[in-house]
């Protein structure tokens, strides 16, 4: 056996790890690619060989390979001949720069929809950025260019019952609750659009879709998007003072333009720092989801 083939195949014994997920298979293969053990142009083992090595079904292998293809780490992923390691393209992780949310989020969401099982977790103030960013993959699905088998979306938003840190009047209290009502209307409207657009995929394309919202008892000072278990996008809400016309009244308020917040990308496998950030972000999100958050209903009214 050649050294190249040995590097590709690693060990051929089935793993003893039970219930290994397709994400774990993708993580291991990603590490081999990024470490150089698998080099650009090198042929991967067959799906059957990888299934034996990792002790999983071939379906899990296919899902893992498609995730790596969506990350542009593999090419020629199909049910036929083995995939190949893709040549490097674009900037290296060390040179990836943060971009405004409006610019950076949409292409990453579109890439996430290349996977057969799309998983998106979001913590934000109104979900407007996520609703806009998801428009392109929805267009591709309706055009027949994409068809994931399953889409799971979880969104954490501030509760309607708290006094928000922002948006808030610069001086005095929110008499009449006009500022709070304006934010609540935006939160509910954007969430309803996001849920409707995604759930429509179930009836129009037979895609298994689940969209859930939960309410936080605090105003999040940051926004966070977690994509397919392997990527975290993080941004600070930076407050500015601006004047807003609300009804018949003109108010000076503290507010954050979330679509312009600079989005910092972190990807599992791009070094210890990025991998740890993604892992800890998932732990943090899940802890909020499972402990202090409550069911959120996107209903109008008091």
């Amino acid at each position: 056996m050649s050294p190249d083939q040995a590097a590709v195949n690693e060990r051929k014994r089935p793993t003893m790890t039970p219930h290994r997920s397709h994400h774990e298979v993708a993580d291991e293969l990603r590490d081999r690619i990024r470490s150089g053990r698998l080099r650009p142009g090198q042929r991967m083992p067959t799906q059957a060989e990888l299934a034996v090595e990792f002790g999983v079904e071939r379906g899990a292998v296919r899902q893992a390979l498609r995730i790596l293809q969506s990350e542009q780490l593999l090419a020629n992923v199909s049910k036929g001949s083995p995939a190949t390691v893709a040549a490097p393209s674009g900037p290296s992780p060390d040179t990836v720069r943060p971009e405004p949310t409006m610019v950076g989020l949409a292409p990453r969401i579109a890439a996430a929809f290349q996977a057969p099982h799309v998983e998106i977790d979001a913590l934000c103030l109104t979900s407007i950025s996520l609703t806009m960013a998801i428009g392109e993959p929805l267009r591709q699905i309706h055009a027949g260019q994409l068809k994931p088998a399953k889409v799971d979306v979880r969104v954490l938003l501030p509760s309607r019952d708290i006094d928000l840190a922002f948006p808030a009047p610069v001086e005095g209290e929110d008499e009449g609750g006009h500022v709070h009502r304006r934010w609540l209307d935006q939160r509910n409207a954007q969430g309803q659009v996001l849920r409707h657009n995604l759930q429509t995929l179930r009836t129009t394309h037979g895609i298994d879709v689940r969209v859930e919202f939960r309410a936080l008892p605090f105003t999040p000072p940051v926004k966070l998007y977690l994509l397919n278990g392997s990527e975290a996008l993080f941004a600070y809400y930076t407050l500015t003072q601006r004047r807003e016309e609300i009804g018949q009244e003109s108010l000076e308020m503290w507010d954050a333009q979330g679509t312009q917040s600079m989005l910092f990308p972190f990807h599992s496998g791009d070094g210890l720092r990025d991998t740890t950030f993604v892992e800890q972000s998932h732990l943090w999100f899940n802890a909020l989801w499972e402990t202090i958050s409550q069911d959120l209903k996107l209903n109008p009214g008091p």
Side-chain angles (χ1 to χ4, degrees), residues 122-198:
L123 178 147
C124 42
L125 192 64
T126 64
S127 79
I128 184 172
S129 296
L130 179 60
T131 301
M132 291 190 297
I134 220 161
E136 176 58 21
L138 292 182
R139 184 196 67 77
Q140 294 180 21
I141 290 172
H142 290 306
Q145 299 168 344
L146 285 177
K147 190 177 180 182
K150 188 175 183 181
V151 177
D152 284 322
V153 176
R154 300 188 299 174
V155 184
L156 285 170
L157 297 167
S159 168
R160 68 190 303 155
D161 299 323
I162 65 173
D163 292 328
L164 290 172
F166 59 88
V170 172
E171 295 182 0
E173 297 182 357
D174 184 14
E175 296 183 6
H178 299 303
V179 175
H180 186 86
R181 169 57 58 188
R182 170 184 166 276
W183 162 79
L184 183 60
D185 288 344
Q186 289 179 340
R187 187 204 73 169
N188 289 346
Q190 294 299 326
Q192 289 168 350
V193 170
L194 178 65
R195 182 172 59 191
H196 171 77
N197 289 347
L198 286 169

Side-chain angles (χ1 to χ4, degrees), residues 2 10 17-18 43 48 80 86 93 104 110 156 160-161 178 185 198 235 239 242 268 282 287:
S2 70
E10 296 287 328
T17 304
R43 253 187 156 186
L156 285 170
R160 68 190 303 155
D161 299 323
H178 299 303
D185 288 344
L198 286 169
L239 299 186
R242 65 189 186 89
S268 182
H282 275 282

Side-chain angles (χ1 to χ4, degrees), residues 64-84:
L65 296 180
R66 286 170 182 164
I67 289 174
L68 298 181
Q69 183 180 43
S70 73
E71 297 169 5
Q72 300 181 346
L73 295 176
L74 291 180
N76 304 322
V77 173
S78 67
K79 294 183 180 180
S81 59
T84 56

Side-chain angles (χ1 to χ4, degrees), residues 9 26 35 56 58 66 77 82 98 128 154 156 173 183 205 225 231 255 259 263 268 291-292 296:
N9 287 327
S35 68
V56 297
R58 289 183 63 175
R66 286 170 182 164
V77 173
I128 184 172
R154 300 188 299 174
L156 285 170
E173 297 182 357
W183 162 79
H205 295 81
Y225 306 97
E231 188 167 13
D255 202 358
T259 58
L263 205 59
S268 182
T291 58
I292 62 174
L296 184 153

Side-chain angles (χ1 to χ4, degrees), residues 20-299:
R20 204 163 192 180
S21 72
H22 65 279
H23 285 303
E24 292 175 298
V25 176
D27 289 344
E28 171 60 26
L29 295 176
R30 186 186 298 108
D31 287 343
R32 295 180 191 178
I33 294 171
R34 296 207 184 273
S35 68
R37 284 182 287 165
L38 297 176
R39 299 191 298 277
Q42 205 167 351
R43 253 187 156 186
M44 297 288 291
T46 66
Q47 292 180 14
E49 289 171 332
L50 289 171
V52 170
E53 176 184 349
F54 288 104
V56 297
E57 298 293 331
R58 289 183 63 175
V61 171
R62 281 195 295 273
Q63 286 182 287
L65 296 180
R66 286 170 182 164
I67 289 174
L68 298 181
Q69 183 180 43
S70 73
E71 297 169 5
Q72 300 181 346
L73 295 176
L74 291 180
N76 304 322
V77 173
S78 67
K79 294 183 180 180
S81 59
T84 56
V85 180
S89 61
S92 68
D94 292 335
T95 62
V96 173
R97 296 184 178 182
E99 296 177 302
T101 300
M102 195 69 178
V103 177
L105 183 59
R108 299 314 309 145
I109 294 288
F113 267 79
Q114 299 285 337
H117 183 188
V118 181
E119 297 175 283
I120 298 175
D121 292 336
L123 178 147
C124 42
L125 192 64
T126 64
S127 79
I128 184 172
S129 296
L130 179 60
T131 301
M132 291 190 297
I134 220 161
E136 176 58 21
L138 292 182
R139 184 196 67 77
Q140 294 180 21
I141 290 172
H142 290 306
Q145 299 168 344
L146 285 177
K147 190 177 180 182
K150 188 175 183 181
V151 177
D152 284 322
V153 176
R154 300 188 299 174
V155 184
L156 285 170
L157 297 167
S159 168
R160 68 190 303 155
D161 299 323
I162 65 173
D163 292 328
L164 290 172
F166 59 88
V170 172
E171 295 182 0
E173 297 182 357
D174 184 14
E175 296 183 6
H178 299 303
V179 175
H180 186 86
R181 169 57 58 188
R182 170 184 166 276
W183 162 79
L184 183 60
D185 288 344
Q186 289 179 340
R187 187 204 73 169
N188 289 346
Q190 294 299 326
Q192 289 168 350
V193 170
L194 178 65
R195 182 172 59 191
H196 171 77
N197 289 347
L198 286 169
Q199 289 183 340
T200 297
L201 300 178
R202 183 183 294 114
T203 55
T204 59
H205 295 81
I207 297 173
D208 183 6
V209 175
R210 182 178 62 177
V211 186
E212 298 178 273
F213 295 87
R214 288 187 69 81
L216 291 169
F218 62 87
T219 309
V222 300
K223 58 166 57 179
L224 176 69
Y225 306 97
L226 303 172
L227 310 180
N228 289 350
S230 63
E231 188 167 13
L233 303 168
F234 175 91
Y236 295 100
Y237 281 118
T238 302
L239 299 186
T240 59
Q241 182 175 338
R242 65 189 186 89
R243 180 170 292 277
E244 180 77 12
E245 300 293 332
I246 301 180
Q248 304 298 318
E249 191 175 2
S250 179
L251 291 176
E252 287 287 340
M253 67 173 62
W254 299 115
D255 202 358
Q257 297 297 311
T259 58
Q260 299 304 315
S261 299
M262 297 300 288
L263 205 59
F264 293 81
F266 298 85
H267 206 289
S268 182
D270 286 349
L272 179 61
R273 184 200 65 164
D274 281 39
T275 299
T276 303
F277 186 88
V278 173
E279 292 173 351
Q280 291 300 311
S281 295
H282 275 282
L283 290 173
W284 183 63
F285 186 96
N286 287 331
L288 292 176
W289 187 270
E290 295 166 2
T291 58
I292 62 174
S293 65
Q294 298 179 339
D295 288 338
L296 184 153
K297 297 186 184 303
L298 300 167
N299 295 329

